[in-house]
Amino acid sequence: MTSPSAAVPEGTIPLDSGPEQTSADWERLAAGVLRKSGRLSESDDDSLVWDKLTRTTLDGIAVTPLGTPALVGDLTTSGRPDRAGDWDVRGWFADPDAKNTAADIALDLDNGVNSVWLQVGAGGVPATDVAAALEGVLLDVAPVVLESDDAVAAAMAFAAHASGTELADGTNLGADPLGQVVRDGAELDVDAIVSAVADKATELGCLALVVDGTAVHDLGASDVQELGWSLAAGAAYLRSLVAAGHSVADAAALLEFRYAATDEQFPTIAKLRAARRLWARVLELSGVEESSRRQRQHVVTSRPMMTKYDPWVNMLRTCVASFSAGVGGADSVTVLPFDLHLGLADVFSRRIARNTSALLIHESHLARVADPAGGAYAIEKLTDDLAIAGWAEFSAIEAAGGAAAAVADGSLQARIDGVVADRERQIALRKRPLTGLSEFPNLDETLPERRPYAAGHRAVQPWGHAFEALRDEPAGTVFLATMGTVAAHTARATFATNLFAAGGIAAVNPGRNDDVDAVVAAYTGPDGGQPVVCLTGNDKAYAEWGAELAEALRAAGATHVILAGKAPEGVVVDDTCAMGVDALDFLNRTREKLA
């Protein structure tokens, strides 16, 4: 037999050559890098790199910087993706005009979309116009999934239109009354809705219900909370359907699960894998045969992760999110249009949305491998951690009396509120950056115009809403007191400019200034005179002439003096800004001084 090294081209290193590397070797090399960056001292032990580089999710789950076999030695491998081939590309349609919707659906189906997700009732086409909206759709070829604030009316309207048709696999009447309860606080007869829609779905030969994890995700829930809610809602629907006369296996076959995919690719991949594992466990405990324990997953790119400002960046977010959905094994994927928070999607944004999946499937070939992440130590460990924590959240909801009871007593919302507070704190500190909003904003951008959504459209608050509120109300200009050469001041001037812009504040940069007189001359010139100034230079310049400059600028009319970085002893300023600053608090303070 030929050895592996025999086939290696001359001049390259054979796979079996050299000593085996150990965790200690990695620690040593990683520690060297951290010492160069100042994150480790020379006296610190190399093993500290694990603490320095481990990231903790909003659920408190530690994500190790390096996957090793030791992480997965005793873990189960259940929950692996089992989708065969390409995922179903599902378009989302919410235009209230049935004629426009029909045209949009036809265009998308002709250009790569496989199934239709139709908003009916509030925020979408009226139930009476379902037939018109679906005109020309071959219902035996393209699955249709409904979403409505009145699931029974939508189901009946669709049934009338689809009568006598053998519906495509995946067609779903889309009822999710518990989702309405948690989103809107609606008072609904959940069992009656479930029973009525399930009866109609059985008659039509299609799915009846969507267990929508995005209902809590859109409220700010963590990955673990989304998993726990989906299990609790799914279990509640099983109980309701069994009470209505369905077997557990038949009841499970009427469900589709919907999850959110964010631009945090590893947690998204692991969440989808954990979801399958957990639902299989629920069905196992419910007595369902192993062959019928499959979870059908529809994954949609996250609404709250997207931004209104610099919406083009949303294309990048949704590409990463849909990549994660595909790798995580989603059966159907919806890429929401990049202009989601501006209004109804236009032809261009819908084209980009559907082509994102086309690129991932046909150019990146993601769908050719059943489980691309399988065996990756970090992913397998994160899957297991999410599954354990998700089951604990499910148990907490069940202990409260089930999904509806956990909403009614406020316990679920209280846990979500805790996550929201943690996320917003990280965003305020820019430890969770939002490109184009809290980082690298473009104050000169002109947002694309879009038609408004229909009355009753359920708006979702973006994670960056606090920064967007500041951008909505521009607040004047700050003068940058640039000290020294461009090379000497550019790092802090750029930092300050981006920070101010994140709060809707422009900055004037006069360029090189070699001394106090030069800065004051620029400040008293035609582009200066702002009440707020910000010193931007290096530590040497601050120490040598920062105090004199601050005093001179006050004498020239400045009423609020900021320093970018840490103010040295003897330099008296009114505020400072540096890495780690609470950006929202700082920006609000600065805006008050500009008012």
Side-chain angles (χ1 to χ4, degrees):
M1 178 180 291
T2 303
S3 69
S5 59
V8 177
E10 184 178 353
T12 61
I13 300 175
L15 294 176
D16 59 351
S17 70
E20 182 178 344
Q21 303 300 307
T22 67
S23 293
D25 294 322
W26 178 84
E27 287 177 7
R28 175 176 51 80
L29 294 171
V33 174
L34 292 187
R35 288 191 178 99
K36 288 180 181 179
S37 66
R39 295 182 64 185
L40 274 184
S41 69
E42 291 299 328
S43 61
D44 286 334
D45 191 87
D46 289 353
S47 63
L48 288 177
V49 297
W50 294 98
D51 291 334
K52 293 289 185 181
L53 297 178
T54 293
R55 183 176 65 86
T56 303
T57 71
L58 288 168
D59 291 304
I61 294 173
V63 181
T64 178
L66 181 69
T68 64
L71 293 176
V72 298
D74 299 322
L75 302 186
T76 178
T77 58
S78 65
R80 291 187 180 279
D82 54 4
R83 184 195 68 240
D86 300 352
W87 59 82
D88 166 63
V89 180
R90 183 168 295 174
W92 178 62
F93 303 92
D95 194 317
D97 186 292
K99 185 176 180 180
N100 289 341
T101 295
D104 290 344
I105 291 173
L107 181 63
D108 277 11
L109 289 176
D110 284 343
N111 289 279
V113 164
N114 308 121
S115 64
V116 174
W117 178 13
L118 182 64
Q119 193 76 35
V120 180
V125 296
T128 53
D129 289 346
V130 165
L134 295 175
E135 183 179 358
V137 176
L138 301 178
L139 301 181
D140 57 340
V141 176
V144 173
V145 177
L146 305 179
E147 181 176 7
S148 179
D149 61 320
D150 188 344
V152 175
M156 297 307 169
F158 177 79
H161 173 62
S163 178
T165 303
E166 183 176 346
L167 298 175
D169 180 48
T171 300
N172 195 334
L173 301 183
D176 182 31
L178 286 172
Q180 290 178 255
V181 170
V182 74
R183 285 184 191 271
D184 308 321
E187 295 184 7
L188 301 173
D189 188 337
V190 172
D191 290 335
I193 294 171
V194 168
S195 178
V197 175
D199 287 346
K200 186 55 64 175
T202 302
E203 176 186 321
L204 293 172
C206 65
L207 305 177
L209 299 157
V210 170
V211 181
D212 195 351
T214 73
V216 292
H217 173 84
D218 291 350
L219 296 176
S222 67
D223 291 332
V224 164
Q225 290 166 343
E226 186 180 358
L227 287 171
W229 169 259
S230 69
L231 296 179
Y237 290 152
L238 289 184
R239 294 184 184 110
S240 182
L241 289 166
V242 168
H246 299 265
S247 70
V248 181
D250 288 345
L254 291 172
L255 307 182
E256 179 178 54
F257 286 72
R258 182 176 296 144
Y259 293 105
T262 73
D263 50 5
E264 292 188 274
Q265 64 175 16
F266 291 156
T268 294
I269 294 168
K271 176 175 70 177
L272 300 181
R273 293 160 61 92
R276 276 187 293 273
R277 180 185 302 180
L278 292 172
W279 185 241
R281 178 60 173 158
V282 169
L283 295 182
E284 178 187 2
L285 294 174
S286 301
V288 176
E289 294 293 328
E290 185 173 358
S291 60
S292 300
R293 295 175 193 163
R294 188 177 189 278
Q295 183 187 62
R296 187 188 291 256
Q297 287 185 352
H298 171 209
V299 180
V300 55
T301 56
S302 168
R303 290 179 172 91
M305 80 169 175
M306 299 171 78
T307 60
K308 176 175 71 174
Y309 287 98
D310 208 349
W312 321 104
V313 179
N314 291 330
M315 297 184 194
L316 308 179
R317 294 186 178 101
T318 56
C319 184
V320 175
S322 52
F323 170 93
S324 306
V327 172
D331 298 293
S332 301
V333 176
T334 295
V335 177
L336 292 174
F338 71 88
D339 49 6
L340 176 79
H341 291 310
L342 297 174
L344 290 167
D346 68 358
V347 171
F348 174 71
S349 55
R350 288 200 326 277
R351 177 171 176 261
I352 294 297
R354 65 177 181 262
N355 281 352
T356 301
S357 275
L359 183 149
L360 293 172
I361 292 171
H362 302 298
E363 295 189 35
S364 299
H365 310 296
L366 281 188
R368 290 193 177 183
V369 179
D371 183 16
Y377 301 135
I379 293 292
E380 297 287 5
K381 180 65 166 64
L382 186 53
T383 297
D384 200 64
D385 289 342
L386 283 170
I388 292 170
W391 191 266
E393 175 65 20
F394 169 46
S395 299
I397 295 174
E398 289 290 281
V407 174
D409 69 11
S411 59
L412 175 64
Q413 188 62 55
R415 291 194 294 276
I416 293 175
D417 288 345
V419 169
V420 170
D422 288 345
R423 182 188 291 111
E424 292 191 346
R425 178 64 176 164
Q426 292 177 16
I427 290 172
L429 294 172
R430 301 201 297 181
K431 291 182 177 180
R432 184 175 288 267
L434 300 172
T435 305
L437 187 61
S438 67
E439 299 279 0
F440 310 110
N442 176 13
L443 281 183
D444 298 323
E445 70 177 313
T446 300
L447 295 178
E449 295 184 3
R450 295 291 185 263
R451 291 182 297 122
Y453 288 108
H457 167 72
R458 186 190 299 112
V460 173
Q461 187 177 70
W463 289 335
H465 67 93
F467 282 99
E468 292 191 347
L470 297 181
R471 291 286 300 279
D472 288 342
E473 301 290 340
T477 305
V478 167
F479 179 84
L480 298 184
T482 48
M483 304 171 66
T485 64
V486 172
H489 71 243
T490 192
R492 282 176 170 153
T494 300
F495 169 83
T497 298
N498 282 326
L499 176 57
F500 288 128
I505 303 169
V508 171
N509 185 331
R512 176 171 180 164
N513 293 294
D514 292 327
D515 53 30
V516 172
D517 290 341
V519 177
V520 172
Y523 178 65
T524 56
D527 295 328
Q530 293 80 4
V532 177
V533 299
C534 180
L535 275 59
T536 57
N538 57 28
D539 291 343
K540 185 173 182 288
Y542 288 162
E544 290 179 352
W545 50 292
E548 183 184 356
L549 178 58
E551 184 177 345
L553 287 169
R554 287 194 179 93
T559 59
H560 189 70
V561 179
I562 301 168
L563 182 142
K566 183 179 180 181
E569 186 176 352
V571 179
V572 179
V573 293
D574 301 301
D575 208 344
T576 62
C577 59
M579 293 294 293
V581 67
D582 184 325
L584 283 174
D585 190 43
F586 169 79
L587 291 169
N588 279 308
R589 292 197 305 270
T590 304
R591 288 168 63 95
E592 289 175 2
K593 301 302 180 181
L594 288 168

